[in-house]
């Protein structure tokens, strides 16, 4: 390398890598309830409907606190907010393990504990997107978000065999204790290595700092650094289109996070170990296709612009996911159905980095707030599917649950046609202020 071109540095990728780890642990903490669900049902006398309420209570807390969590990250920075979040969710993961058998009102206790766990985890990805907005040049945001959200698939993919091993050897309570300890360790490392801005980090070279600055998209956010008013965020057609599409995304993805393992085990007839193995496939597909989608998105954006690179890949990915899900319902063999559904999960996750890259680009300093609103839609979708899936299955049969998900994939695909990735919210706000 020539002397007049010093290394750009890689601290931004260190932080992205650790966000991958935190994302994986966050999903380890939430999916363990699904894997341990049958044991918890037996110990506390819960049927599928009530277990669905427990699943939904987590997602409800997670959904309601997305936007507030994003605003906190915008106000106090992702370093502190992420550290607080990891301690919070470790505490409430451990509290689930402490619920005694036979306690009066056990359902209310589980609902409350899981709801509060969701409140803590709600801060993670809005804070992550605030980190991306401050640390990652626009041309790298697809890959960065793809890697971060690969942690979702990695964490959820590791969960079935890991939690199954712990369940069989030590009992379901130890699975929650171990997840809590891992979360605490990850949060401590994050607080030690992370900073809110590149200029605050002692490890960032001048070359890397300049590279980051030169790659930031044009923003017209408030010069004072204040967050955008809520009326601007909630009045944006693009934010609403992204939120509707992410609602559909969340509805589909949460079938895998909540009911897929139980579906394989009790409906398709796979034993516990086979369910653990085939239950990994959708999450491994998510972990693979999330960074792949981000890489493709960055390349297409560089060649053809954001309309193709961000919106186009999302339209195609969600539409293809719908096709996979419909086809899987025609498969008679459980293993074939698992593989095809994994293909659907992978196609769905081709689009995941685009949601977060677009919100970072259009929101700038308010990326946490805007992505929080969008992700609230995602989690409301998850809340609905956690409770609605067993109801649809009981009334119409399990295929109907997946076919509804396929239909929503189509809706989510079409919603991307309404998104303008070049319409910066700060510019919209300043133009309105100038007209007053």
């Amino acid at each position: 390398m020539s002397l007049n071109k010093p290394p750009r540095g890689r601290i931004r990728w260190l932080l992205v890598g650790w966000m991958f780890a935190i994302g994986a642990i966050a999903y380890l903490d939430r999916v363990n309830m699904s894997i341990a669900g049958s044991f918890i049902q037996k110990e506390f006398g819960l049927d599928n409907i009530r277990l669905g309420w427990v699943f939904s209570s987590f997602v409800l807390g997670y959904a309601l606190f997305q936007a507030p969590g994003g605003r906190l990250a915008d106000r106090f920075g992702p370093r502190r907010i992420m550290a607080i979040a990891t301690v919070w969710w470790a505490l409430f993961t451990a509290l689930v393990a402490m619920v005694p058998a036979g306690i009066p009102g056990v359902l209310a206790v589980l609902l409350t504990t899981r709801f509060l766990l969701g409140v803590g985890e709600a801060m993670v990805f809005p804070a992550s997107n605030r980190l991306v907005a401050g640390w990652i040049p626009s041309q790298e945001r697809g890959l960065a978000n793809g890697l971060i959200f690969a942690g979702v698939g990695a964490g959820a993919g590791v969960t079935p065999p890991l939690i199954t091993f712990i369940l069989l050897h030590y009992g379901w309570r130890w699975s929650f204790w171990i997840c809590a300890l891992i979360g605490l360790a990850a949060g401590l490392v994050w607080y030690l290595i992370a900073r809110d801005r590149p200029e605050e980090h002692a490890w960032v070279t001048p070359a890397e700092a300049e590279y980051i600055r030169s790659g930031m998209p044009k923003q017209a956010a408030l010069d004072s650094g204040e967050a955008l008013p809520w009326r601007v965020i909630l009045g944006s057609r693009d934010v609403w289109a992204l939120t509707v599409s992410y609602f559909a995304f969340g509805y589909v993805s949460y079938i895998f996070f909540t009911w897929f393992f139980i579906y394989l085990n009790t409906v398709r007839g796979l034993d516990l170990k086979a369910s653990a193995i085939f239950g990994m496939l959708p999450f491994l597909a998510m972990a693979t296709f999330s960074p792949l989608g981000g890489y493709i998105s960055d390349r297409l954006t560089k060649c053809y612009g954001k309309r193709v690179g961000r919106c186009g890949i999302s339209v195609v990915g969600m539409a293809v996911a719908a096709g996979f899900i419909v086809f899987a319902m025609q498969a008679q063999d459980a293993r074939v159905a698992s593989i095809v559904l994994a293909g659907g999960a992978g196609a769905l996750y081709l689009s995941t980095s685009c949601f977060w890259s677009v919100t970072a680009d259009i929101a700038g300093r308010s990326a946490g707030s805007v992505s929080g609103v969008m992700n609230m839609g995602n989690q409301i979708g998850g809340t609905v599917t956690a409770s609605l899936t067993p109801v649809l299955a009981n009334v119409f049969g399990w295929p109907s649950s997946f076919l509804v998900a396929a239909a929503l994939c189509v809706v989510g695909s079409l919603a991307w046609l309404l998104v303008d990735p070049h319409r910066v919210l700060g510019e919209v706000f300043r133009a309105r202020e100038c007209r007053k």
Side-chain angles (χ1 to χ4, degrees), residues 44 95 207 256 296 310 328 434:
F44 296 121
L95 285 176
F256 295 104
I296 294 171
R310 303 301 191 210
C434 290

Side-chain angles (χ1 to χ4, degrees), residues 340-387:
V340 177
L341 285 170
L348 183 70
Y349 265 69
L350 281 173
S351 67
T352 189
S353 70
C354 300
F355 285 97
W356 297 84
S357 297
V358 168
T359 51
D361 285 346
I362 68 175
R365 296 184 183 100
S366 295
S369 301
V370 173
S371 60
V373 171
M374 178 192 70
N375 203 27
M376 184 182 295
N378 177 288
Q379 304 311 319
I380 291 172
T383 303
V384 174
T385 195
S387 293

Side-chain angles (χ1 to χ4, degrees), residues 71-82 127 130 196:
R71 188 62 106 189
L72 287 172
D74 291 336
R75 173 67 178 82
F76 298 105
R79 182 193 183 207
R80 281 180 287 180
I81 294 304
M82 194 75 70
R130 186 63 186 85
D196 293 328

Side-chain angles (χ1 to χ4, degrees), residues 42 71 107-108 111 115 128 142 153 160 212 223 247 255 301 364 404 429:
K42 291 176 183 178
R71 188 62 106 189
L107 178 60
L111 290 173
F115 177 85
S128 164
I212 292 170
D223 293 337
F247 170 90
I255 286 184
T301 298
V404 168
F429 174 72

